[in-house]
Every structure is written in C-alpha cells, then in structure tokens.
Amino acid sequence: MATAIVTGSGGLIGSESVRVFAEQGFDVIGVENDMRAHFFGPQASTARVSERLVAEVDGFRWEQIDIRDAEAIDRLFARHSRRVELIVHAAAQPSHDWAASDPQTDFTVNAHGTLNLLQAARAHAPDATFIFTSTNKVYGDRPNALPLQEHETRLELPADHPWYEGIGTDMSIDATTHSLFGVSKVAADLLVQEYGRYFGMPTVCFRGGCLTGPQHAGAELHGFLSYLMRCTATGTPYTVFGYGGKQVRDNIHATDVVRAFAAFHSNPRAAAVYNLGGGRAGSVSMLEAIAACERITGRSLNYTISEQARLGDHRWWITDLSAFVGDYPGWRVTVDVNAVLREIYAHNADGWSGGSTGPD
Ligand SMILES: NC(=O)c1ccc[n+]([C@@H]2O[C@H](COP(=O)([O-])OP(=O)(O)OC[C@H]3O[C@@H](n4cnc5c(N)ncnc54)[C@H](O)[C@@H]3O)[C@@H](O)[C@H]2O)c1
C-alpha cells in the first residue's frame, strides 16, 4: 500500500489531507507535536483533532515528532522509504505577528523544518510528490501598492485592472515588507522549488490566501474567519486592525485546498508554483465578514477598529486561479465563503457555548 506522510496532521490542512488521502487508499502517517498550543495557547491545541483522526480514520497513526528534529524525520522516512508516494507538508508556525516575538523558532520551524523534510524525501523517497503549503505572504506587502479605490464596504481594484480577477505568481517577491513569517516561508518556498529544479523532484508550492474550515482551531493571531465567528457567537470582543475594516481577503475551504493537492498528485510536475485561494467569488472584506457572521449567528459582534494595521498585512488580496485551473482543468472552488461560515458555526457553536477549548 502506498504511504502518505502528512506533517501538521492535527491542523486545518493536515487533518483534511489525512482524511482525503486515507479515503483514496493511502496508508497515512501524521507528524504532529501540537506546537500550535505553544504558539497560540491551549484554546488552539490540535490534540483533540489528532485523537479523532486516530479513532475515525482506518490505519491512521501519528508520530509526535518536531519537524526541526532532522534525525527523527530522517528515521521516519527511512522506515517507510520507497513506499512513500506523497508528502503533504502543512506543519508550520503560521502567524506573522507571532513570528516577530520569536524569530528563531519561527525560522527554524518554517525554513529549517522544510529543509529537513526535503532532505529526508530526497534521501529515501525522491519520486514522491512533495506538496508544500506556502503563503501569499511571500509577496510581502507589495499588493498594498495596487491602485485601490475605497468602496462602501471594501477596498477594490478598478474593474479594468489586469489583476482585478486576482493576483498571479508574476507578482515580484522582492523589495517589500514580508514580516518575519513571510521571510521564513519565502525561504521554505524557494527551497521546495529548488529541490524540484536542482534534483528533479516533483515538488509544488501552493501559495495560499486564507485557508479555512470548521476544523480550524481559530486563535486571535491565526485563523481569521474561524476566530471571528467564535467571537461573534460567544460575545467575545474583537479588534479589527487597520484600513477601516475594508481590507479584502479571499478564503478557500480546506476541502478545496486538499482537492487541489490530489489533482496535483494525479499529474505532478517538478518545481511547480501556484497561488491558491478562493478567488474573487471567495473574497470578503472584514466589514463584510462581520456582517455575514452576525447574520448567521443572529448576534452583534462587539468590535472596535484600531487605526494600527498589522505590519506587512495586505489591504487587498484576491487569488488568480487561472494558472492552476489551466494545468488541472478538473479542479474548481466548490465551497463559497458564506457556506464556509455557516459550516464553521454549525460545527462549533455547541462546543463554544459549552466552553470547549478547541475544534472537534
Ligand atoms: N490557514 C491559513 O489561512 C493559511 C494561509 C496561507 C498558508 N497557510 C499555510 O498552510 C499550512 C497549514 O496551515 P493551517 O492553517 O493548517 O495551520 P495549523 O496551525 O492549523 O496547522 C499546523 C499544524 O502544524 C503543527 N506544527 C507546528 N509546528 C510543528 C513542528 N515543529 N513539528 C510538528 N508539527 C508542528 C501544529 O501543531 C499544527 O497542528 C501552514 O504551512 C501555513 O503557513 C495557511
């Protein structure tokens, strides 16, 4: 049986990958050390998700390995060696605010951890598809230089702008403020590309917009839709940072993200790079997202808008999906942003009102 190794298997994208690839017949091994609880506190722990995966997914098991531990990662790959056909690398320190508080941990997890995985894959499973969850923060704050116009609820590009339907990978990653998180992800992204180019391994970087879904252990510093819905549902005060709440993000459900991984694995190439997000249809401003959460919960969010924007934060991001759809025409976004929000609420509302500390 072919083996898939999924890092960050308790997280949003990792847990969805475990379920999808197990259903496809892979023997799935997770790598997870619940470092999310260390980053964002106990309410962000992924321990319960990991327990549920073991209980519900046939044959799934996970190893409590820190991806910074090169020897342990090498031993894991050596044990499974040529059976490994797929690696989904979704473990990360995922917040740019947190990165500034401890740049060394951020860099060693995101950059060095990725290098450890690439080296182990190269040594023991060089033909395996290597999927890396990169981020649109590799472009730094360059999107903020776009000629945005202020509309009633959002900032918006003029309809005749070449990037109106979304930003492609032709945007430069140089000479912008990335945040330290953006830099550690750029380092990892370039490493993944280089192992594709230099060693011919089938690697891909998916530069994500906002990835979301009911399994996200939303925390103030990461998982914005999930945390926003949680605050609306529980009456927790919420702070919007900067831009009058008109900043735009595009959102994509974890299920569509992992469907993109599966499409890539069905026909992998070397050193591929794609932007991946919800596209224009999945875009929402903070003010629009708040209104949607209030509609769904029937409650008002207690929020303030701070004038202080987060350093390196995007004023506007919409993903151009045409490159990926061009290469993988069977793939498309299937879950729209309102459906994502309804699902986040339906899945978590009981747990939140009962004082649950994380997603089921
Ligand atoms: N969620 C988003 O909006 C978003 C956007 C763009 C890119 N991404 C990227 O997608 C990937 C997955 O994001 P997510 O939202 O699923 O994150 P997540 O925090 O839900 O999952 C990451 C998992 O990795 C684990 N982990 C962290 N450090 C580890 C280490 N040193 N060793 C082993 N496990 C470790 C965490 O405990 C967590 O369970 C990340 O690389 C992230 O940078 C996410």
Side-chain angles (χ1 to χ4, degrees), residues 12-13 32-33 35-36 66-67 90 92 133-134 185 209 211 216:
L12 172 75
I13 299 304
E32 172 62 69
N33 68 351
M35 210 162 167
R36 191 172 168 91
D66 188 324
I67 59 169
T133 47
S134 187
K185 294 295 278 194
L211 319 181
H216 222 185

Side-chain angles (χ1 to χ4, degrees), residues 11-313:
L12 172 75
I13 299 304
S15 62
E16 183 72 17
S17 300
V18 169
R19 288 185 190 278
V20 167
F21 290 112
E23 262 167 39
Q24 290 194 2
F26 280 90
D27 178 32
V28 184
I29 300 169
V31 173
E32 172 62 69
N33 68 351
D34 201 11
M35 210 162 167
R36 191 172 168 91
H38 167 74
F39 299 140
F40 308 128
Q43 72 165 18
S45 168
T46 54
R48 290 190 348 158
V49 173
S50 294
E51 282 163 22
R52 281 189 65 158
L53 288 174
V54 171
E56 293 171 6
V57 178
D58 259 1
F60 172 71
R61 68 269 187 215
W62 58 284
E63 307 248 357
Q64 192 155 356
I65 297 175
D66 188 324
I67 59 169
R68 292 173 294 178
D69 184 344
E71 285 177 15
I73 290 291
D74 186 75
R75 277 197 303 273
L76 174 72
F77 276 68
R79 252 196 333 274
H80 300 280
S81 188
R82 303 272 159 184
R83 284 192 305 279
V84 178
E85 278 188 14
L86 173 65
I87 298 139
V88 176
H89 174 29
Q93 188 302 105
S95 156
H96 53 167
D97 291 329
W98 193 92
S101 70
D102 187 348
Q104 277 176 324
T105 299
D106 173 75
F107 196 83
T108 48
V109 170
N110 289 351
H112 204 177
T114 301
L115 179 60
N116 293 340
L117 287 154
L118 286 164
Q119 262 304 104
R122 181 179 160 226
H124 304 291
D127 298 327
T129 305
F130 191 104
I131 293 172
F132 174 56
T133 47
S134 187
T135 167
N136 61 13
K137 299 295 184 308
V138 300
Y139 302 106
D141 63 358
R142 181 166 296 279
N144 292 356
L146 292 170
L148 296 169
Q149 299 166 338
E150 188 166 345
H151 291 215
E152 195 183 334
T153 60
R154 61 159 67 193
L155 297 168
E156 192 51 279
L157 271 183
D160 60 355
H161 192 280
W163 280 334
Y164 179 77
E165 285 301 334
I167 297 172
T169 52
D170 51 336
M171 177 171 265
S172 168
I173 66 169
D174 291 325
T176 73
T177 301
H178 288 88
S179 81
L180 292 167
F181 160 75
V183 171
S184 64
K185 294 295 278 194
V186 166
D189 182 301
L190 294 180
L191 280 166
V192 171
Q193 291 188 52
E194 203 58 28
Y195 272 66
R197 282 186 198 285
Y198 201 87
F199 300 118
M201 288 163 55
T203 67
V204 61
C205 297
F206 282 108
R207 295 175 169 171
C210 286
L211 319 181
T212 187
Q215 293 296 353
H216 222 185
E220 185 174 11
L221 295 186
H222 185 244
F224 113 86
L225 278 187
S226 168
Y227 186 68
L228 182 65
M229 181 58 90
R230 183 189 184 112
C231 290
T232 314
T234 58
T236 308
Y238 187 92
T239 307
V240 177
F241 291 98
Y243 312 132
K246 294 189 176 183
Q247 57 271 53
V248 172
R249 277 112 185 67
D250 76 348
N251 303 276
I252 183 167
H253 194 290
T255 193
D256 286 329
V257 173
V258 178
R259 285 178 50 259
F261 296 174
F264 182 83
H265 179 59
S266 71
N267 184 18
R269 312 150 194 254
V273 186
Y274 299 104
N275 290 344
L276 184 68
R280 176 156 281 282
S283 72
V284 74
S285 73
M286 285 301 308
L287 293 180
E288 291 161 358
I290 289 169
C293 289
E294 290 181 334
R295 240 184 354 260
I296 290 165
T297 59
R299 300 185 61 155
S300 293
L301 176 68
N302 171 11
Y303 71 98
T304 47
I305 300 183
S306 158
E307 282 180 16
Q308 190 65 49
R310 289 186 157 128
L311 202 61
D313 208 11

